[in-house]
Amino acid sequence: MKEFLRTKGFKMTPQREMIFRSFFELGEHVSVDELYDKVRSLDHSIGYSTVWRNLKLICKVGLAEEVNLGDGITRYDRVTKIPHGHLFCLTCKKLEEFPVDQLVGVLAETAGERDFTPESFKIEIKGICKDCLNKSEEEIESEEDNV
Amino acid sequence: MKEFLRTKGFKMTPQREMIFRSFFELGEHVSVDELYDKVRSLDHSIGYSTVWRNLKLICKVGLAEEVNLGDGITRYDRVTKIPHGHLFCLTCKKLEEFPVDQLVGVLAETAGERDFTPESFKIEIKGICKDCLNKSEEEIESEEDNV
DNA sequence: TTGAAATTGAAAGTCGATTTCATTTAGAAA
DNA sequence: TTTCTAAATGAAATCGACTTTCAATTTCAA
Ligand SMILES: [Mn+2]
Ligand SMILES: [Mn+2]
Ligand SMILES: [Zn+2]
Ligand SMILES: [Zn+2]
């Protein structure tokens, strides 16, 4: 990692080391606050802006990208070779992934037809996840009991 | 329109009348500032928050919905019967639309397989539009001339 | 005509994202 | 190893789009 960054003109620091490591441990869809909390539990002296800047750096060097679901929170998703879409539960904010190989193919074609040079594709489904649906059904049942 | 709003419990005002009219005249992908500017040119005394609130109202009554491209600006897109995706130019911020009937079918299936109840779908392609690509090519050519 | 409820405009507040700045540190070069 | 400069850091300030508050005004059903 240190080597990788150096070739791109960046230095390694203890803070950066810890932030990068923690980011990849947390896995998918990490927000600044989540990463800040995790890093803080390891080193209480690390600043919020340092975490934020390093998250941006992780994106700049191509290891992650920002995900914006329209809920005001920017999340950072590690870049994987296979493209994926997101299922975003409006109730519990959980984010699931699903493969979109063939869909992206169609989209690339669409772009080509319009002389548009695509850089990225975003495919999202917003709605209610299985768990939240069950919960709301249970609520309705218990309300019926009370009548 | 007045009738339509009344049945939903809202009142009509001169400001509202002008804001609604202007919104639909502007057409697609309107931001608060754009609409505010337009409305202001017609009536300088209208307040920003009134424009904002009425844009929200237009959404609430189902005539538009918010579009979030991750550039920090919320746009309001009139609701049409046919679902569409967005081509978003990262350079000039222009937004084109394209049909996504069959894609949405696939996505609905995907959701169903995961017991996810979809409420909305988002399909976006970010990249460089034809015009901006041509411009950047011209720049490169003129740079070559200067060498 | 009247009065409750909705609406308005200005101003203030919110909150995540971003920048500033003084200081420290990494690491290439000597 | 020492030196030196660009990069990095942490705290605090700032930004900016969005949202709420509040007193005054207006709508419209009764
Ligand atoms: Mn993801
Ligand atoms: Mn649209
Ligand atoms: Zn859920
Ligand atoms: Zn463009």
Side-chain angles (χ1 to χ4, degrees):
Chain A
M1 189 73 252
K2 182 176 177 178
E3 259 316 291
F4 172 73
L5 283 178
R6 198 163 50 89
T7 64
K8 303 218 171 199
F10 302 105
K11 297 174 177 176
M12 182 49 75
T13 66
Q15 294 95 330
R16 176 160 293 169
E17 168 91 39
M18 178 179 294
I19 292 170
F20 272 55
R21 184 181 305 284
S22 297
F23 173 73
F24 291 109
E25 278 177 20
L26 279 177
E28 327 171 322
H29 316 128
V30 181
S31 67
V32 183
D33 282 344
E34 280 169 10
L35 183 53
Y36 179 61
D37 287 346
K38 163 133 191 174
V39 161
R40 270 256 155 163
S41 71
L42 301 173
D43 177 351
H44 197 68
S45 71
I46 274 182
Y48 174 91
S49 43
T50 299
V51 174
W52 178 81
R53 279 185 290 234
N54 274 287
L55 229 19
K56 287 286 193 184
L57 180 64
I58 291 173
C59 291
K60 193 183 295 185
V61 300
L63 297 177
E65 51 191 28
E66 300 190 354
V67 178
N68 224 292
L69 283 315
D71 69 343
I73 307 294
T74 301
R75 290 152 207 281
Y76 295 81
D77 205 4
R78 81 239 171 294
V79 168
T80 55
K81 24 286 145 209
I82 47 161
H84 64 268
H86 288 136
L87 289 159
F88 183 54
C89 176
L90 295 166
T91 302
C92 68
K93 312 297 180 194
K94 193 171 53 190
L95 208 45
E96 288 179 58
E97 304 190 335
F98 64 93
V100 291
D101 313 302
Q102 74 282 38
L103 291 179
V104 166
V106 175
L107 290 178
E109 232 175 88
T110 301
E113 287 166 7
R114 288 147 205 270
D115 296 313
F116 191 93
T117 308
E119 289 197 359
S120 68
F121 304 95
K122 182 188 275 192
I123 300 175
E124 282 172 22
I125 306 176
K126 292 186 188 176
I128 314 294
C129 78
K130 186 180 185 176
D131 295 343
C132 289
L133 200 62
N134 287 338
K135 270 179 203 154
S136 66
E137 277 171 7
E138 282 169 23
E139 278 176 27
I140 290 169
E141 280 170 24
S142 71
E143 280 170 19
E144 285 171 353
D145 292 347
N146 293 336
V147 172
Chain B
M1 189 72 253
K2 183 176 176 179
E3 260 316 290
F4 173 73
L5 284 178
R6 222 221 345 250
T7 64
K8 303 218 170 197
F10 302 106
K11 297 173 177 176
M12 182 50 75
T13 66
Q15 295 94 330
R16 178 160 292 168
E17 167 91 39
M18 177 180 292
I19 292 169
F20 272 55
R21 185 180 305 284
S22 297
F23 173 74
F24 291 110
E25 278 177 20
L26 279 176
E28 325 171 323
H29 315 126
V30 181
S31 66
V32 184
D33 282 345
E34 279 169 10
L35 183 54
Y36 178 61
D37 287 347
K38 162 134 193 172
V39 161
R40 269 258 156 162
S41 71
L42 302 173
D43 177 351
H44 196 68
S45 71
I46 264 180
Y48 174 91
S49 43
T50 299
V51 174
W52 179 81
R53 279 185 292 233
N54 275 288
L55 229 18
K56 287 287 192 183
L57 179 63
I58 292 173
C59 292
K60 194 183 294 186
V61 299
L63 297 176
E65 51 192 27
E66 300 191 354
V67 179
N68 222 294
L69 283 317
D71 69 342
I73 307 293
T74 301
R75 290 152 206 281
Y76 296 82
D77 204 3
R78 82 240 170 294
V79 167
T80 55
K81 25 285 147 212
I82 46 162
H84 64 268
H86 288 136
L87 290 157
F88 184 53
C89 176
L90 296 166
T91 301
C92 68
K93 314 296 181 195
K94 192 171 52 191
L95 209 44
E96 289 178 56
E97 304 190 335
F98 63 94
V100 291
D101 314 300
Q102 74 283 38
L103 291 179
V104 165
V106 175
L107 290 178
E109 232 175 89
T110 301
E113 287 166 8
R114 289 147 205 271
D115 295 314
F116 191 93
T117 308
E119 289 198 359
S120 68
F121 303 96
K122 183 187 272 191
I123 300 175
E124 283 172 21
I125 307 177
K126 293 187 188 176
I128 313 294
C129 77
K130 187 179 184 176
D131 295 343
C132 289
L133 200 63
N134 288 338
K135 271 179 200 153
S136 66
E137 277 171 6
E138 282 169 23
E139 276 176 26
I140 291 170
E141 280 170 23
S142 70
E143 280 170 17
E144 284 170 352
D145 293 345
N146 292 336
V147 172

